[in-house]
Protein backbone atom coordinates (compact mmCIF):
# COMPACT_ATOMS: atom_id res chain seq x y z
CA UNK A 1 0.00 0.00 0.00
CA UNK A 2 1.34 3.45 -0.83
CA UNK A 3 0.85 6.68 1.01
CA UNK A 4 -1.34 9.41 -0.31
CA UNK A 5 0.01 12.94 -0.38
CA UNK A 6 -2.39 14.56 2.08
CA UNK A 7 -1.90 15.27 5.78
CA UNK A 8 -3.50 13.16 8.46
CA UNK A 9 -6.12 14.59 10.72
CA UNK A 10 -4.79 15.08 14.20
CA UNK A 11 -7.62 15.10 16.65
CA UNK A 12 -7.70 15.70 20.35
CA UNK A 13 -9.47 13.07 22.41
CA UNK A 14 -11.57 15.96 23.68
CA UNK A 15 -12.01 18.53 20.90
CA UNK A 16 -13.95 20.76 23.30
CA UNK A 17 -10.78 21.31 25.32
CA UNK A 18 -9.53 24.66 24.00
CA UNK A 19 -5.86 25.45 24.12
CA UNK A 20 -4.81 21.87 24.72
CA UNK A 21 -2.11 22.22 22.10
CA UNK A 22 -1.48 25.90 22.65
CA UNK A 23 -3.71 27.14 19.81
CA UNK A 24 -5.27 25.51 16.78
CA UNK A 25 -5.17 21.74 16.53
CA UNK A 26 -1.86 20.74 14.91
CA UNK A 27 -1.63 18.62 11.79
CA UNK A 28 0.41 15.47 11.28
CA UNK A 29 2.10 15.64 7.88
CA UNK A 30 4.33 13.24 6.02
CA UNK A 31 7.86 14.64 5.90
CA UNK A 32 8.62 16.74 2.82
CA UNK A 33 11.53 18.91 1.68
CA UNK A 34 9.65 22.05 2.80
CA UNK A 35 9.77 20.86 6.44
CA UNK A 36 13.58 21.05 6.66
CA UNK A 37 13.94 24.55 8.22
CA UNK A 38 11.24 23.98 10.85
CA UNK A 39 12.54 20.50 11.64
CA UNK A 40 16.08 21.77 12.12
CA UNK A 41 14.77 24.52 14.41
CA UNK A 42 12.79 21.90 16.40
CA UNK A 43 15.90 19.74 16.86
CA UNK A 44 18.09 22.67 17.87
CA UNK A 45 15.57 24.19 20.30
CA UNK A 46 14.96 20.85 22.00
CA UNK A 47 18.48 19.42 21.89
CA UNK A 48 19.19 19.67 25.62
CA UNK A 49 15.70 18.44 26.50
CA UNK A 50 15.97 15.38 24.24
CA UNK A 51 19.45 14.59 25.58
CA UNK A 52 17.91 13.98 29.00
CA UNK A 53 16.15 10.90 27.59
CA UNK A 54 18.05 9.74 24.51
CA UNK A 55 21.67 10.13 23.45
CA UNK A 56 22.47 13.51 21.94
CA UNK A 57 22.62 13.51 18.15
CA UNK A 58 25.96 15.33 18.23
CA UNK A 59 27.21 18.37 16.38
CA UNK A 60 27.69 16.42 13.13
CA UNK A 61 23.92 15.85 12.95
CA UNK A 62 23.30 19.60 12.83
CA UNK A 63 26.23 20.36 10.54
CA UNK A 64 25.06 17.75 8.04
CA UNK A 65 21.33 18.29 8.49
CA UNK A 66 20.59 19.13 4.84
CA UNK A 67 22.17 15.92 3.58
CA UNK A 68 20.50 13.87 6.35
CA UNK A 69 17.09 15.33 5.50
CA UNK A 70 17.58 14.43 1.84
CA UNK A 71 18.63 10.89 2.83
CA UNK A 72 15.49 10.49 4.96
CA UNK A 73 13.32 11.59 2.06
CA UNK A 74 15.08 9.08 -0.21
CA UNK A 75 14.45 6.27 2.31
CA UNK A 76 10.82 7.31 2.49
CA UNK A 77 10.50 7.38 -1.32
CA UNK A 78 11.90 3.83 -1.38
CA UNK A 79 9.22 2.71 1.10
CA UNK A 80 11.66 1.66 3.83
CA UNK A 81 10.47 4.34 6.26
CA UNK A 82 7.65 6.83 6.77
CA UNK A 83 8.50 10.04 8.54
CA UNK A 84 5.93 12.45 9.97
CA UNK A 85 6.04 15.85 11.59
CA UNK A 86 3.38 17.38 13.77
CA UNK A 87 3.05 20.98 12.60
CA UNK A 88 1.38 23.86 14.44
CA UNK A 89 -0.60 26.64 12.76
CA UNK A 90 2.55 28.75 12.28
CA UNK A 91 4.42 25.89 10.57
CA UNK A 92 6.55 25.04 13.60
CA UNK A 93 7.27 21.42 14.41
CA UNK A 94 5.82 20.13 17.69
CA UNK A 95 6.90 16.53 17.22
CA UNK A 96 8.24 13.74 15.05
CA UNK A 97 6.54 10.37 14.62
CA UNK A 98 8.49 7.93 12.49
CA UNK A 99 8.01 4.42 11.17
CA UNK A 100 11.36 2.86 10.32
CA UNK A 101 12.61 -0.50 9.08
CA UNK A 102 9.32 -1.27 7.34
CA UNK A 103 9.30 -4.93 6.30
CA UNK A 104 6.87 -7.83 6.18
CA UNK A 105 3.93 -5.86 7.56
CA UNK A 106 5.71 -4.34 10.54
CA UNK A 107 7.85 -1.35 11.48
CA UNK A 108 9.56 0.29 14.43
CA UNK A 109 7.94 3.43 15.80
CA UNK A 110 9.99 6.31 17.13
CA UNK A 111 8.72 9.64 18.40
CA UNK A 112 9.85 12.83 20.09
CA UNK A 113 7.85 15.87 21.13
CA UNK A 114 9.01 19.42 21.80
CA UNK A 115 9.44 20.29 25.46
CA UNK A 116 6.88 23.11 25.08
CA UNK A 117 4.26 20.57 23.95
CA UNK A 118 4.70 17.97 26.70
CA UNK A 119 2.04 17.15 29.26
CA UNK A 120 -0.91 17.85 26.96
CA UNK A 121 -1.43 14.50 25.26
CA UNK A 122 0.46 15.50 22.12
CA UNK A 123 2.69 12.41 22.12
CA UNK A 124 -0.18 10.02 22.85
CA UNK A 125 -2.41 11.56 20.19
CA UNK A 126 0.45 11.51 17.68
CA UNK A 127 1.20 7.85 18.35
CA UNK A 128 -2.48 6.95 18.00
CA UNK A 129 -2.69 8.83 14.71
CA UNK A 130 0.43 7.13 13.36
CA UNK A 131 -0.97 3.73 14.36
CA UNK A 132 -4.05 4.42 12.21
CA UNK A 133 -1.88 5.65 9.32
CA UNK A 134 0.36 2.60 9.64
CA UNK A 135 -2.62 0.30 9.34
CA UNK A 136 -4.84 2.15 6.86
CA UNK A 137 -2.39 3.99 4.60
CA UNK A 138 0.75 1.86 4.77
CA UNK A 139 -0.82 -1.59 5.19
CA UNK A 140 1.14 -2.49 8.33
CA UNK A 141 -0.12 -5.07 10.82
CA UNK A 142 2.29 -4.60 13.74
CA UNK A 143 4.44 -1.88 15.28
CA UNK A 144 7.34 -2.22 17.67
CA UNK A 145 8.67 0.53 19.92
CA UNK A 146 11.39 0.71 22.55
CA UNK A 147 12.12 3.18 25.33
CA UNK A 148 14.79 3.44 27.99
CA UNK A 149 13.57 2.58 31.48
CA UNK A 150 14.53 6.06 32.73
CA UNK A 151 12.27 7.60 30.06
CA UNK A 152 9.04 7.38 32.05
CA UNK A 153 7.18 9.72 29.70
CA UNK A 154 7.73 7.57 26.61
CA UNK A 155 6.95 4.38 28.50
CA UNK A 156 3.68 5.93 29.69
CA UNK A 157 2.79 6.98 26.13
CA UNK A 158 3.37 3.44 24.90
CA UNK A 159 1.13 2.02 27.66
CA UNK A 160 -1.63 4.56 26.98
CA UNK A 161 -1.61 3.83 23.27
CA UNK A 162 -1.98 0.06 23.49
CA UNK A 163 1.62 -1.15 23.25
CA UNK A 164 2.47 -4.23 25.29
CA UNK A 165 5.94 -4.91 26.76
CA UNK A 166 7.59 -7.92 25.13
CA UNK A 167 11.08 -7.87 26.56
CA UNK A 168 14.06 -6.00 27.85
CA UNK A 169 16.58 -4.36 25.54
CA UNK A 170 19.70 -2.27 25.84
CA UNK A 171 19.41 1.16 24.20
CA UNK A 172 22.69 3.00 23.82
CA UNK A 173 24.08 1.21 26.87
CA UNK A 174 20.99 1.81 29.02
CA UNK A 175 18.33 -0.70 30.04
CA UNK A 176 15.10 -0.38 28.09
CA UNK A 177 11.90 -2.15 27.25
CA UNK A 178 10.64 -3.30 23.85
CA UNK A 179 6.92 -3.11 23.10
CA UNK A 180 4.56 -4.34 20.38
CA UNK A 181 1.18 -3.23 19.14
CA UNK A 182 -0.97 -5.26 16.79
CA UNK A 183 -2.78 -2.95 14.40
CA UNK A 184 -6.27 -4.33 14.61
CA UNK A 185 -9.37 -2.60 13.20
CA UNK A 186 -10.03 -0.98 16.59
CA UNK A 187 -6.76 1.01 16.55
Amino acid sequence: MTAGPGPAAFRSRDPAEPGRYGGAVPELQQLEPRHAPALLRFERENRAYFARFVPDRGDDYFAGFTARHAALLAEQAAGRCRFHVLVDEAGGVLGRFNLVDIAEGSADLGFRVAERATGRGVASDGVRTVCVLARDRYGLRRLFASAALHNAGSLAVLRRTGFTPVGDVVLDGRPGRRHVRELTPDV
Side-chain angles (χ1 to χ4, degrees):
M1 196 174 272
T2 59
F10 189 85
R11 304 265 187 256
S12 164
R13 283 170 286 166
D14 182 1
E17 189 177 338
R20 176 174 176 169
Y21 300 109
V25 175
E27 186 174 72
L28 191 69
Q29 302 173 355
Q30 190 165 349
L31 187 66
E32 296 178 7
R34 67 184 171 92
H35 292 119
L39 185 57
L40 179 56
R41 190 168 38 260
F42 164 82
E43 291 291 348
R44 282 186 174 143
E45 289 173 356
N46 292 284
R47 184 176 183 179
Y49 172 69
F50 294 148
R52 293 180 6 210
F53 307 104
V54 296
D56 183 65
R57 293 186 187 270
D59 292 338
D60 288 345
Y61 172 84
F62 297 96
F65 183 82
T66 301
R68 288 181 190 281
H69 190 72
L72 293 178
L73 293 170
E75 280 187 81
Q76 183 167 264
R80 292 188 300 268
C81 302
R82 298 290 179 193
F83 303 105
H84 305 87
V85 288
L86 182 62
V87 179
D88 66 20
E89 63 190 21
V93 174
L94 293 175
R96 299 180 77 162
F97 299 87
N98 301 321
L99 300 170
V100 300
D101 299 332
I102 296 173
E104 299 178 14
S106 66
D108 284 331
L109 167 71
F111 61 93
R112 56 176 52 197
V113 172
E115 184 174 21
R116 70 182 172 97
T118 60
R120 293 182 280 167
V122 172
S124 294
D125 286 348
V127 168
R128 285 185 192 98
T129 302
V130 169
C131 286
V132 171
L133 284 173
R135 183 196 65 207
D136 294 350
R137 188 179 288 180
Y138 308 135
L140 300 177
R141 298 179 309 276
R142 177 179 303 115
L143 294 181
F144 294 95
S146 297
L149 295 181
H150 75 280
N151 191 344
S154 289
L155 291 168
V157 167
L158 293 174
R159 274 193 314 274
R160 280 193 297 270
T161 57
F163 281 81
T164 304
V166 293
D168 294 332
V169 293
V170 176
L171 301 168
D172 297 304
R174 294 180 171 177
R177 186 139 304 125
R178 185 140 172 92
H179 297 74
V180 67
R181 165 104 192 248
E182 300 298 327
L183 300 177
T184 58
D186 64 337
V187 170

